[in-house]
Coordinates of all heavy atoms in Angstrom, one line a residue:
M1 N -1.4 11.8 26.3 CA 0.0 11.5 26.0 C 0.2 11.1 24.6 O -0.5 10.2 24.0 CB 0.4 10.3 26.9 CG 1.8 10.0 26.9 SD 2.3 9.0 28.3 CE 3.1 7.7 27.5
E2 N 1.1 11.8 23.9 CA 1.4 11.5 22.5 C 2.3 10.3 22.3 O 3.3 10.2 23.0 CB 2.0 12.8 21.8 CG 2.1 12.6 20.3 CD 2.6 13.9 19.7 OE1 2.1 15.0 20.1 OE2 3.4 13.8 18.8
N3 N 2.0 9.5 21.3 CA 2.8 8.3 21.0 C 3.8 8.7 19.9 O 3.4 9.0 18.8 CB 2.0 7.1 20.6 CG 2.8 5.9 20.3 OD1 4.0 5.9 20.4 ND2 2.1 4.8 19.9
N4 N 5.1 8.6 20.1 CA 6.1 8.9 19.1 C 6.7 7.7 18.5 O 7.6 7.8 17.7 CB 7.2 9.8 19.8 CG 6.7 11.1 20.2 OD1 5.9 11.7 19.5 ND2 7.2 11.6 21.3
Y5 N 6.1 6.6 18.7 CA 6.7 5.3 18.2 C 5.8 4.9 16.9 O 4.6 5.0 17.0 CB 6.6 4.2 19.2 CG 7.5 4.4 20.4 CD1 7.0 4.8 21.6 CD2 8.9 4.3 20.3 CE1 7.8 5.1 22.7 CE2 9.7 4.5 21.4 CZ 9.1 4.9 22.6 OH 10.0 5.2 23.6
P6 N 6.5 4.5 15.9 CA 5.7 4.0 14.7 C 5.0 2.7 15.0 O 5.4 1.9 15.9 CB 6.7 3.9 13.6 CG 8.0 3.6 14.4 CD 7.9 4.3 15.7
L7 N 4.0 2.4 14.3 CA 3.3 1.2 14.3 C 4.2 0.2 13.5 O 4.5 0.4 12.3 CB 1.9 1.3 13.6 CG 1.1 0.0 13.4 CD1 0.7 -0.6 14.8 CD2 -0.1 0.3 12.6
A8 N 4.6 -0.9 14.1 CA 5.4 -2.0 13.5 C 4.4 -2.9 12.7 O 3.5 -3.5 13.4 CB 6.2 -2.7 14.5
V9 N 4.7 -3.1 11.5 CA 3.9 -4.0 10.6 C 4.8 -5.1 10.1 O 5.8 -4.8 9.4 CB 3.2 -3.3 9.5 CG1 2.5 -4.3 8.6 CG2 2.3 -2.2 10.0
V10 N 4.5 -6.3 10.5 CA 5.3 -7.5 10.1 C 4.5 -8.4 9.2 O 3.4 -8.8 9.7 CB 5.9 -8.3 11.3 CG1 6.7 -9.4 10.8 CG2 6.7 -7.3 12.2
G11 N 4.9 -8.7 8.0 CA 4.1 -9.6 7.2 C 4.7 -9.7 5.8 O 5.8 -9.5 5.6
T12 N 3.8 -10.0 4.9 CA 4.2 -10.3 3.5 C 4.1 -9.1 2.6 O 3.2 -8.3 2.7 CB 3.4 -11.4 2.9 OG1 2.0 -11.1 2.8 CG2 3.6 -12.7 3.6
V13 N 5.1 -9.0 1.7 CA 5.1 -8.0 0.6 C 5.3 -8.9 -0.6 O 6.2 -9.7 -0.6 CB 6.2 -7.0 0.7 CG1 6.3 -6.1 -0.5 CG2 6.0 -6.1 2.0
A14 N 4.3 -8.9 -1.5 CA 4.3 -9.9 -2.6 C 4.1 -9.3 -4.0 O 3.7 -8.2 -4.1 CB 3.2 -10.9 -2.3
I15 N 4.2 -10.2 -4.9 CA 3.8 -9.9 -6.3 C 2.7 -10.8 -6.6 O 2.8 -12.1 -6.5 CB 5.0 -10.2 -7.3 CG1 6.2 -9.3 -7.0 CG2 4.5 -10.0 -8.7 CD1 7.4 -9.6 -7.8
D16 N 1.5 -10.3 -6.8 CA 0.3 -11.1 -7.0 C -0.1 -11.3 -8.4 O 0.2 -10.5 -9.3 CB -0.9 -10.4 -6.3 CG -0.9 -10.5 -4.8 OD1 -0.2 -11.3 -4.3 OD2 -1.7 -9.8 -4.1
H17 N -0.7 -12.4 -8.6 CA -1.3 -12.7 -9.9 C -2.8 -12.9 -9.7 O -3.2 -13.8 -8.9 CB -0.7 -14.0 -10.5 CG 0.7 -14.0 -10.6 ND1 1.4 -13.4 -11.7 CD2 1.7 -14.4 -9.8 CE1 2.7 -13.5 -11.5 NE2 2.9 -14.1 -10.4
V18 N -3.6 -12.0 -10.3 CA -5.0 -12.0 -10.0 C -5.8 -12.1 -11.3 O -5.5 -11.5 -12.3 CB -5.4 -10.6 -9.3 CG1 -6.9 -10.5 -9.0 CG2 -4.6 -10.3 -8.1
E19 N -6.9 -13.0 -11.2 CA -7.8 -13.1 -12.3 C -9.2 -13.1 -11.7 O -9.6 -13.8 -10.8 CB -7.5 -14.5 -13.0 CG -8.4 -14.7 -14.2 CD -8.0 -16.0 -14.9 OE1 -7.0 -16.5 -14.7 OE2 -8.9 -16.4 -15.8
T20 N -10.0 -12.2 -12.4 CA -11.4 -12.1 -12.0 C -12.3 -12.2 -13.3 O -11.7 -12.2 -14.4 CB -11.7 -10.7 -11.3 OG1 -11.6 -9.7 -12.3 CG2 -10.8 -10.5 -10.1
P21 N -13.6 -12.2 -13.2 CA -14.4 -12.1 -14.4 C -14.2 -10.9 -15.2 O -14.5 -10.8 -16.4 CB -15.8 -12.2 -13.9 CG -15.7 -12.9 -12.5 CD -14.4 -12.4 -12.0
F22 N -13.6 -9.8 -14.6 CA -13.4 -8.6 -15.3 C -12.0 -8.4 -15.8 O -11.7 -7.4 -16.5 CB -13.7 -7.4 -14.3 CG -15.0 -7.5 -13.7 CD1 -15.2 -8.0 -12.4 CD2 -16.2 -7.2 -14.4 CE1 -16.5 -8.2 -11.9 CE2 -17.4 -7.3 -13.9 CZ -17.6 -7.8 -12.6
G23 N -11.1 -9.3 -15.6 CA -9.7 -9.1 -16.1 C -8.7 -9.9 -15.4 O -9.0 -10.6 -14.4
R24 N -7.5 -9.8 -15.8 CA -6.4 -10.5 -15.3 C -5.2 -9.6 -15.1 O -4.9 -8.8 -16.0 CB -6.1 -11.7 -16.2 CG -4.9 -12.5 -15.9 CD -4.9 -13.6 -16.9 NE -3.6 -14.3 -16.8 CZ -3.3 -15.5 -17.3 NH1 -4.3 -16.1 -17.9 NH2 -2.2 -16.0 -17.2
R25 N -4.4 -9.8 -14.1 CA -3.2 -9.0 -13.8 C -2.1 -9.9 -13.4 O -2.3 -10.6 -12.4 CB -3.5 -7.9 -12.7 CG -2.4 -7.0 -12.5 CD -2.3 -5.9 -13.5 NE -1.1 -5.1 -13.3 CZ -1.0 -4.0 -12.7 NH1 -2.1 -3.5 -12.2 NH2 0.1 -3.4 -12.6
E26 N -1.0 -10.0 -14.1 CA 0.1 -10.9 -13.9 C 1.0 -10.5 -12.8 O 1.5 -11.3 -12.0 CB 0.9 -11.2 -15.1 CG 0.1 -12.1 -16.1 CD 0.0 -13.5 -15.6 OE1 0.9 -14.0 -15.0 OE2 -1.1 -14.1 -15.9
R27 N 1.3 -9.2 -12.7 CA 2.3 -8.7 -11.7 C 1.7 -7.5 -11.0 O 2.0 -6.3 -11.3 CB 3.6 -8.3 -12.5 CG 4.4 -9.5 -13.0 CD 5.6 -9.0 -13.8 NE 6.3 -7.9 -13.3 CZ 7.4 -7.8 -12.5 NH1 7.9 -9.0 -12.2 NH2 7.9 -6.7 -12.1
A28 N 0.9 -7.8 -10.0 CA 0.3 -6.7 -9.2 C 1.0 -6.6 -7.9 O 1.4 -7.6 -7.3 CB -1.2 -7.0 -9.0
F29 N 1.1 -5.4 -7.4 CA 1.7 -5.2 -6.1 C 0.7 -5.8 -5.0 O -0.5 -5.5 -5.0 CB 1.8 -3.7 -5.9 CG 2.5 -3.3 -4.6 CD1 3.5 -4.1 -4.1 CD2 2.2 -2.1 -4.0 CE1 4.2 -3.7 -2.9 CE2 2.9 -1.7 -2.8 CZ 3.9 -2.5 -2.3
G30 N 1.3 -6.6 -4.2 CA 0.4 -7.3 -3.2 C 1.1 -7.6 -1.9 O 2.2 -7.1 -1.6
G31 N 0.4 -8.3 -1.1 CA 0.9 -8.7 0.3 C 0.2 -8.0 1.3 O -0.1 -6.8 1.2
S32 N -0.2 -8.7 2.4 CA -1.0 -8.1 3.4 C -0.3 -7.0 4.1 O -0.9 -6.0 4.5 CB -1.4 -9.2 4.4 OG -0.3 -9.8 5.0
A33 N 1.0 -7.1 4.4 CA 1.7 -6.0 5.0 C 1.8 -4.8 4.2 O 1.8 -3.6 4.7 CB 3.1 -6.5 5.4
S34 N 1.9 -4.9 2.9 CA 1.9 -3.8 2.0 C 0.6 -3.0 2.1 O 0.6 -1.8 2.3 CB 2.0 -4.2 0.5 OG 3.1 -5.0 0.3
Y35 N -0.5 -3.7 2.0 CA -1.8 -3.0 2.1 C -2.1 -2.4 3.5 O -2.6 -1.3 3.6 CB -3.0 -3.9 1.7 CG -2.9 -4.4 0.3 CD1 -2.9 -5.8 0.0 CD2 -2.8 -3.5 -0.8 CE1 -2.9 -6.2 -1.3 CE2 -2.7 -4.0 -2.1 CZ -2.8 -5.4 -2.3 OH -2.7 -5.8 -3.6
F36 N -1.8 -3.1 4.5 CA -2.0 -2.6 5.9 C -1.1 -1.4 6.1 O -1.6 -0.4 6.7 CB -1.7 -3.7 6.9 CG -2.1 -3.3 8.3 CD1 -3.4 -3.5 8.8 CD2 -1.1 -2.7 9.1 CE1 -3.7 -3.1 10.0 CE2 -1.5 -2.3 10.4 CZ -2.8 -2.5 10.9
S37 N 0.1 -1.5 5.7 CA 1.1 -0.3 6.0 C 0.6 0.9 5.3 O 0.6 2.0 5.9 CB 2.5 -0.7 5.5 OG 3.0 -1.7 6.2
Y38 N 0.2 0.8 4.0 CA -0.3 1.9 3.3 C -1.5 2.5 3.9 O -1.6 3.7 4.1 CB -0.6 1.5 1.8 CG -0.7 2.7 0.9 CD1 0.4 3.1 0.2 CD2 -1.9 3.3 0.6 CE1 0.4 4.2 -0.6 CE2 -2.0 4.4 -0.2 CZ -0.8 4.8 -0.8 OH -0.9 5.9 -1.7
A39 N -2.5 1.7 4.3 CA -3.7 2.2 4.9 C -3.4 2.8 6.3 O -3.9 3.9 6.6 CB -4.7 1.1 5.0
A40 N -2.7 2.2 7.1 CA -2.4 2.7 8.4 C -1.6 4.0 8.4 O -1.7 4.8 9.3 CB -1.6 1.6 9.2
S41 N -0.8 4.2 7.4 CA 0.0 5.4 7.3 C -0.8 6.7 7.2 O -0.2 7.8 7.3 CB 1.0 5.3 6.1 OG 0.4 5.4 4.9
F42 N -2.1 6.6 6.9 CA -2.9 7.8 6.9 C -3.3 8.2 8.3 O -3.8 9.3 8.5 CB -4.2 7.5 6.1 CG -4.0 7.5 4.6 CD1 -3.7 6.3 3.9 CD2 -4.1 8.7 3.9 CE1 -3.5 6.3 2.6 CE2 -3.9 8.7 2.5 CZ -3.6 7.5 1.8
F43 N -3.0 7.4 9.3 CA -3.4 7.7 10.6 C -2.2 7.8 11.6 O -2.3 8.4 12.6 CB -4.4 6.6 11.2 CG -5.6 6.5 10.3 CD1 -5.7 5.5 9.3 CD2 -6.6 7.4 10.4 CE1 -6.8 5.4 8.5 CE2 -7.7 7.3 9.6 CZ -7.8 6.3 8.6
T44 N -1.1 7.1 11.3 CA 0.1 7.1 12.2 C 1.3 6.7 11.4 O 1.2 6.0 10.3 CB -0.2 6.1 13.3 OG1 0.9 6.2 14.3 CG2 -0.2 4.6 12.8
P45 N 2.5 7.0 11.8 CA 3.7 6.6 11.2 C 3.8 5.1 11.3 O 3.4 4.5 12.3 CB 4.8 7.3 11.9 CG 4.2 8.4 12.6 CD 2.8 8.0 12.9
V46 N 4.4 4.4 10.2 CA 4.5 3.0 10.2 C 5.9 2.6 9.9 O 6.6 3.2 9.2 CB 3.6 2.5 9.0 CG1 3.8 1.0 8.8 CG2 2.1 2.8 9.3
S47 N 6.3 1.4 10.5 CA 7.6 0.8 10.2 C 7.3 -0.6 9.7 O 6.7 -1.4 10.4 CB 8.4 0.7 11.4 OG 9.7 0.2 11.1
L48 N 7.6 -0.8 8.4 CA 7.3 -2.1 7.7 C 8.5 -3.0 7.9 O 9.7 -2.7 7.6 CB 7.0 -1.8 6.3 CG 6.8 -3.1 5.4 CD1 5.6 -3.9 5.8 CD2 6.6 -2.6 3.9
V49 N 8.2 -4.3 8.3 CA 9.2 -5.3 8.5 C 8.8 -6.5 7.5 O 7.8 -7.1 7.8 CB 9.3 -5.8 9.9 CG1 10.4 -6.9 10.0 CG2 9.6 -4.7 10.9
A50 N 9.6 -6.7 6.5 CA 9.3 -7.8 5.5 C 10.6 -8.1 4.7 O 11.6 -7.3 4.7 CB 8.2 -7.3 4.6
V51 N 10.5 -9.2 3.9 CA 11.6 -9.6 3.1 C 11.1 -9.7 1.6 O 10.0 -10.3 1.4 CB 12.2 -10.9 3.5 CG1 13.3 -11.3 2.6 CG2 12.7 -10.8 4.9
V52 N 11.8 -9.1 0.7 CA 11.5 -9.3 -0.7 C 12.7 -9.8 -1.4 O 13.8 -9.8 -0.9 CB 11.1 -7.9 -1.4 CG1 9.8 -7.4 -0.7 CG2 12.2 -6.9 -1.3
G53 N 12.5 -10.3 -2.6 CA 13.6 -10.9 -3.4 C 14.2 -9.9 -4.3 O 13.8 -8.7 -4.4
N54 N 15.3 -10.3 -5.1 CA 15.9 -9.5 -6.0 C 15.0 -9.0 -7.1 O 15.3 -8.0 -7.8 CB 17.1 -10.2 -6.7 CG 18.2 -10.5 -5.7 OD1 18.3 -9.9 -4.7 ND2 19.0 -11.5 -6.0
D55 N 13.9 -9.7 -7.4 CA 13.0 -9.4 -8.5 C 11.9 -8.4 -8.1 O 11.1 -8.1 -8.9 CB 12.4 -10.6 -9.0 CG 11.6 -11.4 -8.0 OD1 11.8 -11.1 -6.8 OD2 10.7 -12.2 -8.3
F56 N 12.0 -7.9 -6.8 CA 10.9 -6.9 -6.4 C 11.1 -5.6 -7.2 O 12.1 -5.0 -7.1 CB 11.1 -6.7 -4.9 CG 9.9 -5.9 -4.3 CD1 8.7 -6.4 -4.2 CD2 10.1 -4.6 -3.9 CE1 7.6 -5.7 -3.7 CE2 9.1 -3.9 -3.3 CZ 7.9 -4.4 -3.2
P57 N 10.0 -5.2 -7.9 CA 10.1 -4.0 -8.8 C 10.3 -2.7 -7.9 O 9.6 -2.5 -6.9 CB 8.7 -4.0 -9.5 CG 8.3 -5.4 -9.4 CD 8.8 -6.0 -8.1
E58 N 11.1 -1.9 -8.4 CA 11.4 -0.6 -7.8 C 10.1 0.2 -7.7 O 9.9 1.0 -6.8 CB 12.5 0.1 -8.5 CG 13.0 1.4 -7.8 CD 13.5 1.1 -6.4 OE1 14.1 0.1 -6.1 OE2 13.4 2.0 -5.5
E59 N 9.2 0.1 -8.7 CA 8.0 0.9 -8.8 C 7.1 0.5 -7.6 O 6.3 1.4 -7.1 CB 7.3 0.9 -10.1 CG 6.7 -0.5 -10.5 CD 7.6 -1.3 -11.4 OE1 8.8 -1.0 -11.5 OE2 7.1 -2.1 -12.1
F60 N 7.1 -0.7 -7.2 CA 6.3 -1.1 -6.0 C 6.8 -0.5 -4.7 O 6.1 0.0 -3.9 CB 6.3 -2.6 -5.8 CG 5.6 -3.4 -6.9 CD1 5.6 -4.8 -7.0 CD2 4.9 -2.8 -7.9 CE1 5.0 -5.5 -7.9 CE2 4.2 -3.5 -8.9 CZ 4.3 -4.8 -8.9
R61 N 8.2 -0.4 -4.6 CA 8.8 0.2 -3.4 C 8.4 1.7 -3.4 O 8.1 2.3 -2.4 CB 10.3 0.1 -3.4 CG 10.9 0.7 -2.2 CD 12.4 0.5 -2.3 NE 13.1 1.2 -1.2 CZ 13.4 0.6 0.0 NH1 13.2 -0.7 0.2 NH2 13.9 1.3 1.0
K62 N 8.4 2.4 -4.6 CA 8.0 3.8 -4.7 C 6.6 4.1 -4.2 O 6.3 5.1 -3.6 CB 8.2 4.3 -6.1 CG 9.7 4.4 -6.4 CD 9.9 4.9 -7.8 CE 11.3 4.8 -8.2 NZ 12.1 5.9 -8.3
V63 N 5.7 3.1 -4.4 CA 4.3 3.3 -3.9 C 4.4 3.4 -2.3 O 3.7 4.3 -1.8 CB 3.4 2.1 -4.3 CG1 2.1 2.1 -3.5 CG2 3.2 2.0 -5.8
L64 N 5.1 2.6 -1.7 CA 5.3 2.7 -0.2 C 6.0 4.0 0.2 O 5.7 4.6 1.3 CB 6.0 1.5 0.3 CG 5.2 0.1 0.1 CD1 6.1 -1.0 0.5 CD2 3.9 0.1 0.9
E65 N 7.0 4.4 -0.6 CA 7.7 5.6 -0.3 C 6.9 6.9 -0.3 O 7.2 7.9 0.2 CB 8.9 5.8 -1.2 CG 10.0 4.7 -0.9 CD 11.1 4.8 -1.9 OE1 11.0 5.4 -3.0 OE2 12.2 4.1 -1.6
E66 N 5.7 6.8 -1.0 CA 4.8 8.0 -1.1 C 4.2 8.3 0.3 O 3.7 9.4 0.4 CB 3.7 7.7 -2.1 CG 4.1 7.5 -3.5 CD 2.9 7.0 -4.4 OE1 1.8 6.8 -3.8 OE2 3.2 6.9 -5.6
R67 N 4.2 7.4 1.2 CA 3.6 7.6 2.5 C 4.6 7.6 3.6 O 5.8 7.2 3.4 CB 2.6 6.4 2.7 CG 1.5 6.2 1.7 CD 0.5 7.3 1.6 NE 0.0 7.6 3.0 CZ -0.3 8.9 3.4 NH1 -0.2 9.9 2.5 NH2 -0.7 9.1 4.6
P68 N 4.3 8.0 4.8 CA 5.2 8.0 5.9 C 5.4 6.6 6.5 O 5.0 6.3 7.6 CB 4.6 9.0 7.0 CG 3.1 8.9 6.7 CD 3.0 8.7 5.2
I69 N 6.1 5.8 5.7 CA 6.4 4.4 6.0 C 7.9 4.2 6.1 O 8.6 4.5 5.1 CB 5.7 3.4 5.0 CG1 4.2 3.6 4.9 CG2 6.1 2.0 5.3 CD1 3.6 2.8 3.8
D70 N 8.4 3.8 7.2 CA 9.8 3.5 7.4 C 10.1 2.2 6.7 O 9.6 1.1 7.1 CB 10.2 3.4 8.8 CG 11.6 3.0 9.1 OD1 12.4 3.0 8.2 OD2 11.8 2.6 10.3
L71 N 10.9 2.2 5.6 CA 11.3 1.0 4.9 C 12.7 0.5 5.2 O 13.2 -0.4 4.5 CB 11.2 1.3 3.4 CG 9.8 1.7 2.9 CD1 9.8 2.0 1.4 CD2 8.7 0.6 3.2
S72 N 13.3 1.0 6.3 CA 14.6 0.5 6.6 C 14.7 -0.9 7.0 O 15.8 -1.5 7.1 CB 15.2 1.4 7.8 OG 14.5 1.3 8.9
H73 N 13.5 -1.5 7.3 CA 13.5 -3.0 7.6 C 12.8 -3.8 6.5 O 12.4 -4.9 6.8 CB 12.8 -3.2 9.0 CG 13.4 -2.5 10.1 ND1 14.6 -2.8 10.6 CD2 13.0 -1.4 10.8 CE1 14.9 -2.0 11.6 NE2 14.0 -1.1 11.7
L74 N 12.7 -3.2 5.3 CA 12.2 -4.0 4.2 C 13.5 -4.5 3.5 O 14.2 -3.8 2.8 CB 11.5 -3.1 3.2 CG 11.0 -3.8 1.9 CD1 10.0 -4.9 2.2 CD2 10.3 -2.7 1.0
E75 N 13.8 -5.8 3.8 CA 15.1 -6.4 3.4 C 14.9 -7.0 2.1 O 14.0 -7.8 1.8 CB 15.5 -7.4 4.4 CG 16.8 -8.1 4.2 CD 17.2 -9.1 5.2 OE1 16.9 -8.8 6.4 OE2 17.7 -10.1 4.8
R76 N 15.9 -6.8 1.2 CA 16.0 -7.4 -0.1 C 17.0 -8.5 0.0 O 18.2 -8.3 0.4 CB 16.5 -6.4 -1.2 CG 16.5 -7.0 -2.6 CD 16.9 -5.9 -3.6 NE 15.9 -4.8 -3.7 CZ 14.9 -4.8 -4.5 NH1 14.7 -5.8 -5.4 NH2 14.1 -3.8 -4.6
S77 N 16.6 -9.7 -0.3 CA 17.5 -10.9 -0.2 C 17.6 -11.6 -1.6 O 16.9 -11.3 -2.5 CB 16.9 -11.9 0.8 OG 15.7 -12.5 0.3
N78 N 18.6 -12.5 -1.7 CA 18.8 -13.2 -2.9 C 17.6 -14.2 -3.0 O 17.1 -14.7 -2.0 CB 20.1 -14.1 -2.8 CG 21.3 -13.2 -2.9 OD1 21.3 -12.1 -3.5 ND2 22.4 -13.6 -2.2
G79 N 17.1 -14.4 -4.2 CA 16.0 -15.2 -4.5 C 14.8 -14.4 -5.0 O 15.0 -13.2 -5.4
K80 N 13.6 -15.0 -5.0 CA 12.4 -14.4 -5.6 C 11.5 -13.9 -4.5 O 11.4 -14.4 -3.4 CB 11.7 -15.4 -6.5 CG 12.5 -15.8 -7.7 CD 11.6 -16.5 -8.6 CE 12.4 -16.8 -9.9 NZ 11.6 -16.8 -11.1
T81 N 10.8 -12.8 -4.8 CA 9.7 -12.3 -4.0 C 8.6 -13.3 -4.0 O 8.3 -13.9 -5.0 CB 9.3 -10.9 -4.5 OG1 10.4 -10.1 -4.6 CG2 8.2 -10.3 -3.7
L82 N 7.9 -13.4 -2.8 CA 6.7 -14.2 -2.7 C 5.7 -13.8 -3.8 O 5.4 -12.7 -4.0 CB 6.0 -14.0 -1.3 CG 4.7 -14.7 -1.1 CD1 4.9 -16.2 -1.0 CD2 4.1 -14.2 0.2
R83 N 5.2 -14.9 -4.4 CA 4.2 -14.7 -5.4 C 2.9 -15.4 -5.0 O 3.0 -16.5 -4.4 CB 4.6 -15.2 -6.8 CG 5.6 -14.3 -7.5 CD 6.2 -14.9 -8.7 NE 6.8 -14.0 -9.6 CZ 7.9 -13.2 -9.3 NH1 8.4 -13.2 -8.1 NH2 8.4 -12.4 -10.2
D84 N 1.8 -14.8 -5.2 CA 0.5 -15.4 -4.8 C -0.5 -15.3 -5.8 O -0.6 -14.3 -6.5 CB 0.1 -14.7 -3.5 CG -1.0 -15.5 -2.7 OD1 -1.1 -16.7 -3.0 OD2 -1.7 -14.9 -1.9
G85 N -1.4 -16.3 -5.9 CA -2.6 -16.2 -6.7 C -2.5 -16.8 -8.1 O -3.6 -16.9 -8.7
R86 N -1.4 -17.4 -8.5 CA -1.4 -18.0 -9.8 C -2.4 -19.0 -10.0 O -3.0 -19.2 -11.1 CB 0.0 -18.5 -10.1 CG 0.1 -19.0 -11.6 CD 1.5 -19.2 -12.0 NE 2.4 -18.0 -12.0 CZ 2.5 -17.2 -13.1 NH1 1.7 -17.3 -14.1 NH2 3.3 -16.1 -13.0
D87 N -2.7 -19.8 -9.0 CA -3.7 -20.9 -9.1 C -5.1 -20.5 -8.5 O -5.9 -21.3 -8.4 CB -3.2 -22.1 -8.3 CG -1.9 -22.6 -8.9 OD1 -1.7 -22.5 -10.1 OD2 -1.1 -23.1 -8.1
K88 N -5.3 -19.2 -8.2 CA -6.5 -18.8 -7.6 C -7.3 -17.9 -8.6 O -7.2 -16.7 -8.5 CB -6.2 -18.0 -6.3 CG -5.5 -18.8 -5.3 CD -5.1 -18.0 -4.1 CE -4.3 -18.8 -3.1 NZ -3.8 -18.0 -2.0
A89 N -8.1 -18.5 -9.4 CA -8.9 -17.7 -10.3 C -10.3 -17.6 -9.7 O -10.9 -18.5 -9.2 CB -9.0 -18.4 -11.7
L90 N -10.8 -16.4 -9.8 CA -12.2 -16.1 -9.3 C -13.1 -16.0 -10.5 O -13.0 -15.1 -11.4 CB -12.2 -14.8 -8.6 CG -11.3 -14.7 -7.4 CD1 -11.4 -13.3 -6.8 CD2 -11.7 -15.7 -6.3
H91 N -14.1 -16.9 -10.6 CA -15.0 -16.9 -11.8 C -16.4 -16.8 -11.3 O -16.8 -17.3 -10.3 CB -14.9 -18.2 -12.6 CG -13.5 -18.4 -13.2 ND1 -13.1 -17.6 -14.3 CD2 -12.5 -19.1 -12.9 CE1 -11.9 -18.0 -14.6 NE2 -11.5 -18.9 -13.8

């Protein structure tokens, strides 16, 4: 029996700040729902449910649009997108 329903992914879509011994990135595309949706879309259609702020870069959205990911539930709200990692340096 074929499943015609997309996989619903609910979680965070974020702007990450990452620092490792090899370099630093201030505005990286992040969030667990982002990565999971992208990976899962190679195997099944995905519907992403998340909230981002007004500052969410359009180029990050375009990364998700490259795959069969339904973004109709990626809501843009007033305020800032979740940011993670500013205090998490890996040395």
Side-chain angles (χ1 to χ4, degrees):
M1 185 164 129
E2 187 175 317
N3 181 0
N4 293 322
Y5 297 103
L7 174 66
V9 177
V10 180
T12 59
V13 175
I15 299 172
D16 284 346
H17 302 279
V18 180
E19 184 175 344
T20 72
F22 304 102
R24 179 177 165 159
R25 183 81 189 262
E26 286 292 323
R27 288 176 37 100
F29 185 31
S32 58
S34 302
Y35 296 128
F36 186 87
S37 295
Y38 197 90
S41 72
F42 284 92
F43 304 98
T44 190
V46 174
S47 182
L48 175 60
V49 180
V51 178
V52 295
N54 293 339
D55 61 341
F56 188 69
E58 188 61 30
E59 66 261 23
F60 292 175
R61 183 182 175 94
K62 288 181 191 250
V63 170
L64 296 170
E65 290 174 345
E66 295 172 356
R67 304 291 314 143
I69 301 171
D70 172 16
L71 299 177
S72 63
H73 302 289
L74 179 61
E75 183 178 322
R76 185 178 295 267
S77 69
N78 291 328
K80 293 190 174 211
T81 302
L82 174 69
R83 283 170 163 66
D84 193 22
R86 187 167 295 276
D87 299 327
K88 299 176 186 172
L90 301 174
H91 297 286

